[in-house]
Short mmCIF file of all heavy atoms in Angstrom, two decimals:
data_model
loop_
_atom_site.label_atom_id
_atom_site.label_comp_id
_atom_site.label_asym_id
_atom_site.label_seq_id
_atom_site.Cartn_x
_atom_site.Cartn_y
_atom_site.Cartn_z
N MET N 1 140.81 100.48 85.44
CA MET N 1 141.49 99.40 86.17
C MET N 1 141.27 98.06 85.59
O MET N 1 140.12 97.70 85.26
CB MET N 1 140.97 99.38 87.64
CG MET N 1 141.99 100.06 88.70
SD MET N 1 141.33 99.94 90.38
CE MET N 1 141.97 98.21 90.76
N PRO N 2 142.38 97.23 85.39
CA PRO N 2 142.19 95.83 84.83
C PRO N 2 141.60 94.91 85.91
O PRO N 2 141.73 95.10 87.11
CB PRO N 2 143.56 95.45 84.40
CG PRO N 2 144.41 96.26 85.22
CD PRO N 2 143.79 97.60 85.65
N ILE N 3 140.85 93.95 85.32
CA ILE N 3 140.31 92.87 86.21
C ILE N 3 141.09 91.58 86.00
O ILE N 3 141.43 91.33 84.84
CB ILE N 3 138.75 92.69 85.94
CG1 ILE N 3 137.96 94.01 86.15
CG2 ILE N 3 138.17 91.63 86.83
CD1 ILE N 3 136.64 94.01 85.45
N TRP N 4 141.27 90.88 87.00
CA TRP N 4 142.10 89.63 86.90
C TRP N 4 141.18 88.40 87.23
O TRP N 4 140.30 88.58 88.11
CB TRP N 4 143.27 89.66 87.87
CG TRP N 4 144.26 90.81 87.59
CD1 TRP N 4 144.13 92.05 88.37
CD2 TRP N 4 145.22 90.93 86.69
NE1 TRP N 4 145.00 92.87 87.79
CE2 TRP N 4 145.79 92.23 86.84
CE3 TRP N 4 145.75 90.04 85.70
CZ2 TRP N 4 146.86 92.70 86.08
CZ3 TRP N 4 146.81 90.57 85.03
CH2 TRP N 4 147.33 91.82 85.08
N CYS N 5 141.34 87.41 86.34
CA CYS N 5 140.45 86.25 86.47
C CYS N 5 140.85 85.53 87.79
O CYS N 5 142.01 85.22 88.04
CB CYS N 5 140.67 85.34 85.28
SG CYS N 5 139.81 83.69 85.48
N PRO N 6 139.95 85.12 88.66
CA PRO N 6 140.29 84.45 89.90
C PRO N 6 140.64 83.04 89.67
O PRO N 6 141.23 82.36 90.57
CB PRO N 6 138.97 84.57 90.75
CG PRO N 6 137.80 84.73 89.72
CD PRO N 6 138.51 85.48 88.49
N GLU N 7 140.49 82.47 88.53
CA GLU N 7 140.70 81.07 88.22
C GLU N 7 142.13 80.94 87.60
O GLU N 7 142.87 80.15 88.03
CB GLU N 7 139.69 80.44 87.30
CG GLU N 7 138.31 80.35 87.89
CD GLU N 7 138.15 79.49 89.19
OE1 GLU N 7 138.81 78.45 89.14
OE2 GLU N 7 137.45 79.83 90.09
N CYS N 8 142.36 81.69 86.49
CA CYS N 8 143.64 81.49 85.81
C CYS N 8 144.56 82.75 85.81
O CYS N 8 145.63 82.74 85.18
CB CYS N 8 143.39 81.12 84.37
SG CYS N 8 142.64 82.38 83.40
N ASN N 9 144.11 83.85 86.56
CA ASN N 9 144.82 85.11 86.62
C ASN N 9 145.11 85.85 85.28
O ASN N 9 146.04 86.59 85.17
CB ASN N 9 146.18 84.89 87.38
CG ASN N 9 146.00 84.59 88.82
OD1 ASN N 9 145.11 85.17 89.48
ND2 ASN N 9 146.69 83.72 89.42
N ALA N 10 144.25 85.62 84.30
CA ALA N 10 144.31 86.27 83.04
C ALA N 10 143.84 87.68 83.23
O ALA N 10 142.72 87.88 83.89
CB ALA N 10 143.56 85.55 81.90
N MET N 11 144.35 88.63 82.49
CA MET N 11 143.81 89.99 82.53
C MET N 11 142.57 90.13 81.74
O MET N 11 142.59 89.65 80.52
CB MET N 11 144.94 91.02 82.03
CG MET N 11 144.59 92.49 82.50
SD MET N 11 145.83 93.64 81.90
CE MET N 11 145.20 94.00 80.35
N LEU N 12 141.49 90.71 82.27
CA LEU N 12 140.22 90.77 81.57
C LEU N 12 139.79 92.27 81.36
O LEU N 12 140.34 93.09 82.04
CB LEU N 12 139.17 90.19 82.38
CG LEU N 12 139.41 88.72 82.89
CD1 LEU N 12 138.38 88.31 83.97
CD2 LEU N 12 139.39 87.77 81.73
N VAL N 13 139.06 92.38 80.21
CA VAL N 13 138.50 93.74 79.91
C VAL N 13 137.44 94.05 80.93
O VAL N 13 136.59 93.09 81.27
CB VAL N 13 137.98 93.78 78.45
CG1 VAL N 13 137.39 95.08 78.12
CG2 VAL N 13 139.11 93.42 77.46
N GLU N 14 137.34 95.30 81.37
CA GLU N 14 136.25 95.56 82.37
C GLU N 14 134.91 95.46 81.79
O GLU N 14 134.68 95.92 80.65
CB GLU N 14 136.50 96.99 82.83
CG GLU N 14 135.85 97.25 84.21
CD GLU N 14 136.20 98.69 84.71
OE1 GLU N 14 137.08 99.27 84.17
OE2 GLU N 14 135.54 99.06 85.71
N GLY N 15 134.05 94.75 82.44
CA GLY N 15 132.59 94.55 81.99
C GLY N 15 132.40 93.19 81.51
O GLY N 15 131.20 92.92 81.23
N THR N 16 133.43 92.43 81.28
CA THR N 16 133.23 91.04 80.78
C THR N 16 132.65 90.24 81.79
O THR N 16 133.12 90.38 82.94
CB THR N 16 134.52 90.46 80.17
OG1 THR N 16 135.65 90.66 81.04
CG2 THR N 16 134.88 90.89 78.79
N SER N 17 131.76 89.33 81.53
CA SER N 17 131.15 88.37 82.45
C SER N 17 131.79 86.88 82.41
O SER N 17 131.55 86.15 83.25
CB SER N 17 129.70 88.26 82.19
OG SER N 17 129.43 87.76 80.90
N GLU N 18 132.69 86.66 81.42
CA GLU N 18 133.27 85.39 81.31
C GLU N 18 134.73 85.49 80.85
O GLU N 18 135.03 86.41 80.03
CB GLU N 18 132.48 84.62 80.22
CG GLU N 18 132.45 83.12 80.50
CD GLU N 18 131.52 82.45 79.54
OE1 GLU N 18 130.28 82.92 79.46
OE2 GLU N 18 131.91 81.50 78.92
N CYS N 19 135.61 84.76 81.37
CA CYS N 19 137.05 84.78 81.12
C CYS N 19 137.21 84.16 79.68
O CYS N 19 136.84 83.05 79.47
CB CYS N 19 137.70 84.06 82.19
SG CYS N 19 139.56 83.93 81.81
N PRO N 20 137.94 84.88 78.83
CA PRO N 20 138.21 84.31 77.47
C PRO N 20 139.25 83.17 77.47
O PRO N 20 139.24 82.35 76.59
CB PRO N 20 138.73 85.46 76.67
CG PRO N 20 139.23 86.47 77.67
CD PRO N 20 138.48 86.26 78.95
N ARG N 21 139.98 83.05 78.49
CA ARG N 21 141.01 81.98 78.48
C ARG N 21 140.45 80.76 79.07
O ARG N 21 140.60 79.64 78.50
CB ARG N 21 142.24 82.45 79.36
CG ARG N 21 143.42 81.51 79.10
CD ARG N 21 144.48 81.68 80.18
NE ARG N 21 145.49 82.74 79.92
CZ ARG N 21 146.48 83.11 80.69
NH1 ARG N 21 146.64 82.37 81.85
NH2 ARG N 21 147.25 84.04 80.40
N CYS N 22 139.83 80.75 80.35
CA CYS N 22 139.42 79.49 81.02
C CYS N 22 137.85 79.36 81.01
O CYS N 22 137.38 78.34 81.26
CB CYS N 22 139.94 79.43 82.36
SG CYS N 22 139.22 80.64 83.49
N GLY N 23 137.04 80.45 80.63
CA GLY N 23 135.66 80.33 80.44
C GLY N 23 134.92 80.52 81.82
O GLY N 23 133.68 80.22 81.87
N SER N 24 135.61 80.74 82.97
CA SER N 24 134.97 80.83 84.24
C SER N 24 134.24 82.14 84.26
O SER N 24 134.65 83.20 83.70
CB SER N 24 135.95 80.78 85.40
OG SER N 24 136.75 81.85 85.41
N ARG N 25 133.04 82.14 85.01
CA ARG N 25 132.23 83.34 85.08
C ARG N 25 132.86 84.30 86.09
O ARG N 25 133.20 83.87 87.13
CB ARG N 25 130.80 82.98 85.43
CG ARG N 25 130.07 82.27 84.47
CD ARG N 25 128.55 82.29 84.50
NE ARG N 25 127.85 81.88 83.39
CZ ARG N 25 127.53 82.76 82.41
NH1 ARG N 25 127.93 84.01 82.46
NH2 ARG N 25 126.91 82.22 81.30
N ILE N 26 132.80 85.62 85.76
CA ILE N 26 133.28 86.61 86.66
C ILE N 26 132.06 87.25 87.33
O ILE N 26 131.11 87.53 86.78
CB ILE N 26 134.09 87.71 85.82
CG1 ILE N 26 135.00 87.10 84.84
CG2 ILE N 26 134.75 88.76 86.80
CD1 ILE N 26 136.08 86.16 85.45
N GLY N 27 132.24 87.41 88.64
CA GLY N 27 131.11 87.94 89.45
C GLY N 27 130.80 89.38 89.18
O GLY N 27 131.55 90.21 89.19
N THR N 28 129.46 89.63 88.78
CA THR N 28 128.95 90.94 88.41
C THR N 28 127.82 91.28 89.36
O THR N 28 127.30 90.40 89.97
CB THR N 28 128.56 91.10 86.98
OG1 THR N 28 127.62 90.03 86.70
CG2 THR N 28 129.63 90.89 86.06
N SER N 29 127.54 92.60 89.52
CA SER N 29 126.56 93.02 90.43
C SER N 29 125.19 92.67 89.89
O SER N 29 124.21 92.70 90.63
CB SER N 29 126.65 94.56 90.50
OG SER N 29 126.54 95.20 89.27
N GLU N 30 125.09 92.32 88.58
CA GLU N 30 123.73 91.94 87.99
C GLU N 30 123.22 90.69 88.38
O GLU N 30 122.08 90.47 88.44
CB GLU N 30 123.82 92.07 86.43
CG GLU N 30 124.06 93.46 85.94
CD GLU N 30 124.31 93.46 84.40
OE1 GLU N 30 123.75 92.60 83.68
OE2 GLU N 30 125.13 94.21 83.91
N SER N 31 124.08 89.78 88.78
CA SER N 31 123.67 88.40 89.14
C SER N 31 122.88 88.32 90.38
O SER N 31 122.02 87.46 90.50
CB SER N 31 124.85 87.45 89.21
OG SER N 31 125.72 88.03 90.29
N GLY N 32 123.01 89.26 91.27
CA GLY N 32 122.26 89.17 92.50
C GLY N 32 120.78 89.82 92.49
O GLY N 32 120.05 89.74 93.44
N ASP N 33 120.40 90.48 91.34
CA ASP N 33 119.17 91.15 91.30
C ASP N 33 118.01 90.29 91.35
O ASP N 33 116.92 90.61 91.92
CB ASP N 33 119.19 92.10 89.95
CG ASP N 33 120.05 93.20 90.12
OD1 ASP N 33 120.56 93.45 91.22
OD2 ASP N 33 120.22 94.01 89.14
N ASN N 34 118.15 89.08 90.66
CA ASN N 34 116.94 88.13 90.64
C ASN N 34 116.59 87.67 92.09
O ASN N 34 115.49 87.47 92.30
CB ASN N 34 117.30 86.89 89.71
CG ASN N 34 117.32 87.28 88.26
OD1 ASN N 34 116.72 88.26 87.86
ND2 ASN N 34 118.14 86.59 87.48
N LEU N 35 117.55 87.36 92.88
CA LEU N 35 117.36 86.87 94.22
C LEU N 35 116.71 87.95 95.13
O LEU N 35 115.80 87.62 95.77
CB LEU N 35 118.72 86.46 94.91
CG LEU N 35 119.36 85.15 94.44
CD1 LEU N 35 120.72 85.02 94.93
CD2 LEU N 35 118.51 84.01 94.97
N SER N 36 117.16 89.19 94.96
CA SER N 36 116.50 90.26 95.79
C SER N 36 115.08 90.54 95.33
O SER N 36 114.19 90.82 96.06
CB SER N 36 117.32 91.57 95.67
OG SER N 36 117.40 92.01 94.27
N GLY N 37 114.71 90.35 94.08
CA GLY N 37 113.43 90.45 93.49
C GLY N 37 112.41 89.38 94.12
O GLY N 37 111.40 89.79 94.52
N THR N 38 112.94 88.24 94.19
CA THR N 38 112.13 87.17 94.82
C THR N 38 111.94 87.36 96.41
O THR N 38 110.92 87.12 96.85
CB THR N 38 112.69 85.75 94.55
OG1 THR N 38 114.06 85.76 94.99
CG2 THR N 38 112.51 85.39 93.17
N ASP N 39 112.94 87.98 96.95
CA ASP N 39 112.87 88.27 98.32
C ASP N 39 111.87 89.39 98.58
O ASP N 39 111.07 89.25 99.64
CB ASP N 39 114.26 88.76 98.89
CG ASP N 39 115.16 87.71 99.18
OD1 ASP N 39 114.74 86.49 99.06
OD2 ASP N 39 116.38 87.92 99.38
N VAL N 40 111.68 90.43 97.74
CA VAL N 40 110.72 91.45 97.85
C VAL N 40 109.33 90.87 97.79
O VAL N 40 108.42 91.16 98.50
CB VAL N 40 111.08 92.55 96.89
CG1 VAL N 40 109.90 93.46 96.82
CG2 VAL N 40 112.30 93.32 97.34
N ALA N 41 109.21 89.96 96.71
CA ALA N 41 107.77 89.29 96.44
C ALA N 41 107.37 88.53 97.74
O ALA N 41 106.32 88.52 98.16
CB ALA N 41 107.86 88.47 95.18
N TRP N 42 108.36 87.80 98.21
CA TRP N 42 108.07 86.94 99.37
C TRP N 42 107.75 87.85 100.59
O TRP N 42 106.82 87.48 101.34
CB TRP N 42 109.24 86.11 99.79
CG TRP N 42 109.10 85.11 100.88
CD1 TRP N 42 108.50 83.92 100.76
CD2 TRP N 42 109.38 85.33 102.23
NE1 TRP N 42 108.48 83.35 102.01
CE2 TRP N 42 108.93 84.24 102.88
CE3 TRP N 42 109.90 86.47 102.97
CZ2 TRP N 42 109.05 84.09 104.34
CZ3 TRP N 42 110.11 86.33 104.29
CH2 TRP N 42 109.65 85.13 105.02
N PHE N 43 108.50 88.94 100.78
CA PHE N 43 108.22 89.82 101.93
C PHE N 43 106.76 90.50 101.80
O PHE N 43 106.13 90.61 102.79
CB PHE N 43 109.24 90.91 101.90
CG PHE N 43 109.14 91.82 103.07
CD1 PHE N 43 109.45 91.52 104.41
CD2 PHE N 43 108.65 93.13 102.85
CE1 PHE N 43 109.33 92.40 105.40
CE2 PHE N 43 108.50 94.06 103.82
CZ PHE N 43 108.86 93.70 105.21
N SER N 44 106.32 90.88 100.62
CA SER N 44 105.09 91.46 100.41
C SER N 44 103.98 90.53 100.66
O SER N 44 103.02 90.89 101.30
CB SER N 44 104.96 92.13 98.95
OG SER N 44 105.07 91.13 98.04
N ALA N 45 104.13 89.31 100.17
CA ALA N 45 103.16 88.24 100.53
C ALA N 45 103.04 88.01 101.93
O ALA N 45 101.91 87.85 102.51
CB ALA N 45 103.62 86.96 99.79
N TYR N 46 104.20 87.98 102.70
CA TYR N 46 104.26 87.84 104.19
C TYR N 46 103.51 88.93 104.84
O TYR N 46 102.76 88.72 105.79
CB TYR N 46 105.68 87.70 104.64
CG TYR N 46 105.90 87.36 106.06
CD1 TYR N 46 105.64 86.08 106.50
CD2 TYR N 46 106.40 88.26 106.93
CE1 TYR N 46 105.85 85.69 107.82
CE2 TYR N 46 106.54 88.03 108.21
CZ TYR N 46 106.37 86.69 108.65
OH TYR N 46 106.55 86.40 109.98
N THR N 47 103.75 90.21 104.30
CA THR N 47 103.09 91.32 104.98
C THR N 47 101.56 91.33 104.76
O THR N 47 100.82 91.66 105.65
CB THR N 47 103.72 92.62 104.28
OG1 THR N 47 105.02 92.60 104.31
CG2 THR N 47 103.23 93.90 104.98
N ILE N 48 101.13 90.94 103.63
CA ILE N 48 99.68 90.75 103.24
C ILE N 48 99.02 89.79 104.24
O ILE N 48 98.01 90.04 104.73
CB ILE N 48 99.41 90.48 101.80
CG1 ILE N 48 99.84 91.67 100.92
CG2 ILE N 48 97.95 90.05 101.49
CD1 ILE N 48 99.94 91.40 99.47
N ALA N 49 99.71 88.65 104.44
CA ALA N 49 99.25 87.61 105.27
C ALA N 49 99.07 88.07 106.77
O ALA N 49 98.13 87.79 107.38
CB ALA N 49 100.17 86.40 105.22
N ILE N 50 100.14 88.89 107.15
CA ILE N 50 100.10 89.46 108.51
C ILE N 50 98.89 90.41 108.75
O ILE N 50 98.28 90.42 109.73
CB ILE N 50 101.43 90.13 108.84
CG1 ILE N 50 102.45 89.06 109.25
CG2 ILE N 50 101.37 91.16 109.84
CD1 ILE N 50 103.89 89.57 109.59
N ILE N 51 98.62 91.13 107.70
CA ILE N 51 97.48 92.12 107.79
C ILE N 51 96.14 91.48 107.62
O ILE N 51 95.20 91.71 108.37
CB ILE N 51 97.72 93.25 106.75
CG1 ILE N 51 98.84 94.08 107.17
CG2 ILE N 51 96.45 94.17 106.65
CD1 ILE N 51 99.33 94.98 105.86
N VAL N 52 96.05 90.58 106.63
CA VAL N 52 94.66 89.89 106.26
C VAL N 52 94.21 88.93 107.42
O VAL N 52 93.07 88.91 107.77
CB VAL N 52 94.80 89.22 104.95
CG1 VAL N 52 93.64 88.35 104.62
CG2 VAL N 52 94.86 90.31 103.83
N ILE N 53 95.11 88.09 107.90
CA ILE N 53 94.78 87.03 108.81
C ILE N 53 94.16 87.64 110.15
O ILE N 53 93.05 87.30 110.49
CB ILE N 53 95.88 86.10 109.16
CG1 ILE N 53 96.23 85.24 107.92
CG2 ILE N 53 95.63 85.23 110.38
CD1 ILE N 53 97.48 84.40 107.90
N PRO N 54 94.69 88.65 110.86
CA PRO N 54 94.11 89.23 111.99
C PRO N 54 92.72 89.88 111.66
O PRO N 54 91.77 89.91 112.45
CB PRO N 54 95.03 90.28 112.55
CG PRO N 54 96.32 89.80 112.00
CD PRO N 54 95.93 89.21 110.69
N LEU N 55 92.67 90.47 110.40
CA LEU N 55 91.47 91.15 109.97
C LEU N 55 90.29 90.18 109.86
O LEU N 55 89.14 90.37 110.30
CB LEU N 55 91.69 91.75 108.54
CG LEU N 55 90.76 92.94 108.17
CD1 LEU N 55 91.01 94.13 108.95
CD2 LEU N 55 90.87 93.21 106.69
N ILE N 56 90.63 88.96 109.24
CA ILE N 56 89.59 87.90 109.13
C ILE N 56 89.13 87.42 110.53
O ILE N 56 87.91 87.23 110.84
CB ILE N 56 90.11 86.80 108.23
CG1 ILE N 56 90.24 87.26 106.76
CG2 ILE N 56 89.21 85.58 108.36
CD1 ILE N 56 91.02 86.39 105.96
N ILE N 57 90.07 87.22 111.51
CA ILE N 57 89.83 86.74 112.78
C ILE N 57 88.97 87.77 113.59
O ILE N 57 88.00 87.44 114.29
CB ILE N 57 91.15 86.48 113.55
CG1 ILE N 57 91.80 85.16 112.90
CG2 ILE N 57 90.94 86.22 115.05
CD1 ILE N 57 93.25 84.90 113.31
N GLY N 58 89.29 89.03 113.42
CA GLY N 58 88.61 90.17 114.05
C GLY N 58 87.18 90.31 113.58
O GLY N 58 86.26 90.41 114.39
N VAL N 59 86.99 90.24 112.27
CA VAL N 59 85.59 90.20 111.69
C VAL N 59 84.85 88.97 112.21
O VAL N 59 83.66 89.15 112.55
CB VAL N 59 85.69 90.31 110.17
CG1 VAL N 59 84.30 90.07 109.58
CG2 VAL N 59 86.25 91.69 109.67
N GLY N 60 85.47 87.85 112.20
CA GLY N 60 84.87 86.60 112.73
C GLY N 60 84.35 86.71 114.21
O GLY N 60 83.25 86.34 114.53
N ILE N 61 85.22 87.25 115.04
CA ILE N 61 84.92 87.52 116.42
C ILE N 61 83.77 88.48 116.58
O ILE N 61 82.81 88.30 117.39
CB ILE N 61 86.17 87.85 117.24
CG1 ILE N 61 87.10 86.71 117.36
CG2 ILE N 61 85.81 88.32 118.62
CD1 ILE N 61 88.53 87.00 117.78
N ALA N 62 83.83 89.56 115.81
CA ALA N 62 82.75 90.70 115.89
C ALA N 62 81.44 90.07 115.49
O ALA N 62 80.46 90.33 116.08
CB ALA N 62 83.10 91.71 114.99
N LEU N 63 81.34 89.31 114.39
CA LEU N 63 80.18 88.67 113.93
C LEU N 63 79.64 87.64 115.00
O LEU N 63 78.43 87.55 115.14
CB LEU N 63 80.32 88.00 112.61
CG LEU N 63 80.52 88.88 111.38
CD1 LEU N 63 80.87 88.09 110.14
CD2 LEU N 63 79.25 89.59 111.04
N LEU N 64 80.47 86.88 115.63
CA LEU N 64 80.16 85.97 116.64
C LEU N 64 79.56 86.60 117.87
O LEU N 64 78.54 86.24 118.30
CB LEU N 64 81.35 85.19 117.05
CG LEU N 64 81.14 83.91 117.90
CD1 LEU N 64 80.60 82.74 117.02
CD2 LEU N 64 82.48 83.45 118.50
N CYS N 65 80.13 87.79 118.28
CA CYS N 65 79.59 88.55 119.40
C CYS N 65 78.17 89.17 119.07
O CYS N 65 77.29 89.14 119.85
CB CYS N 65 80.57 89.67 119.68
SG CYS N 65 82.04 89.15 120.53
N LEU N 66 78.05 89.60 117.86
CA LEU N 66 76.81 90.13 117.32
C LEU N 66 75.77 89.01 117.36
O LEU N 66 74.54 89.32 117.80
CB LEU N 66 77.02 90.72 115.99
CG LEU N 66 76.07 91.83 115.59
CD1 LEU N 66 76.43 93.13 116.30
CD2 LEU N 66 76.28 92.09 114.03
N PHE N 67 76.13 87.88 116.94
CA PHE N 67 75.23 86.72 116.85
C PHE N 67 74.77 86.29 118.27
O PHE N 67 73.53 86.05 118.51
CB PHE N 67 75.90 85.61 116.16
CG PHE N 67 75.06 84.32 115.98
CD1 PHE N 67 74.00 84.37 115.04
CD2 PHE N 67 75.36 83.22 116.71
CE1 PHE N 67 73.27 83.12 114.92
CE2 PHE N 67 74.54 82.02 116.51
CZ PHE N 67 73.58 82.02 115.57
N LEU N 68 75.73 86.22 119.27
CA LEU N 68 75.37 85.81 120.52
C LEU N 68 74.60 86.95 121.27
O LEU N 68 73.77 86.59 122.11
CB LEU N 68 76.67 85.59 121.34
CG LEU N 68 77.59 84.40 120.94
CD1 LEU N 68 78.92 84.35 121.67
CD2 LEU N 68 76.83 83.08 121.23
N PHE N 69 74.78 88.22 120.92
CA PHE N 69 74.06 89.34 121.58
C PHE N 69 72.52 89.13 121.27
O PHE N 69 71.65 89.56 121.98
CB PHE N 69 74.67 90.52 121.05
CG PHE N 69 74.03 91.86 121.65
CD1 PHE N 69 74.27 92.15 123.05
CD2 PHE N 69 73.21 92.63 120.94
CE1 PHE N 69 73.61 93.36 123.52
CE2 PHE N 69 72.59 93.73 121.51
CZ PHE N 69 72.81 94.11 122.72
N PHE N 70 72.25 88.76 120.08
CA PHE N 70 70.90 88.72 119.57
C PHE N 70 70.12 87.52 120.10
O PHE N 70 68.84 87.42 120.04
CB PHE N 70 70.80 88.87 118.09
CG PHE N 70 70.87 90.30 117.61
CD1 PHE N 70 72.06 90.80 116.80
CD2 PHE N 70 69.85 91.27 117.82
CE1 PHE N 70 72.17 92.03 116.53
CE2 PHE N 70 69.95 92.54 117.43
CZ PHE N 70 71.12 92.95 116.70
N ILE N 71 70.92 86.52 120.59
CA ILE N 71 70.30 85.30 121.21
C ILE N 71 69.91 85.64 122.60
O ILE N 71 68.86 85.57 123.11
CB ILE N 71 71.19 84.09 121.03
CG1 ILE N 71 71.26 83.63 119.59
CG2 ILE N 71 70.69 82.92 121.86
CD1 ILE N 71 72.29 82.57 119.29
ZN1 ZN W 1 140.29 82.60 83.57
#
């Protein structure tokens, strides 16, 4: 199936990322991969924070209770 340039309506070869007539970039599925990669990294950092912060608070409360018990 031929692809048509959205800017100048020139017929393009399938797989080209740039129009040979007007030079405008043609949207490909590869361009969105970088954004999703950063989203995954941000999500994993957020998940680690959610797990680690209550763990630190829990250990702190446990140590405080132990300390008060011995006094
Ligand atoms: Zn074009």
Side-chain angles (χ1 to χ4, degrees):
M1 256 183 84
I3 302 162
W4 304 94
C5 176
E7 297 296 322
C8 68
N9 288 323
M11 200 178 88
L12 306 168
V13 182
E14 201 173 351
T16 44
S17 58
E18 212 169 309
C19 177
R21 193 198 272 181
C22 70
S24 69
R25 290 200 168 274
I26 313 303
T28 51
S29 58
E30 289 172 36
S31 58
D33 288 354
N34 291 331
L35 282 168
S36 61
T38 51
D39 280 352
V40 168
W42 183 86
F43 181 75
S44 61
Y46 186 73
T47 309
I48 288 163
I50 277 176
I51 293 164
V52 167
I53 288 166
L55 200 75
I56 290 166
I57 291 165
V59 168
I61 288 165
L63 286 171
L64 193 74
C65 288
L66 207 71
F67 182 72
L68 290 170
F69 181 75
F70 280 109
I71 289 171

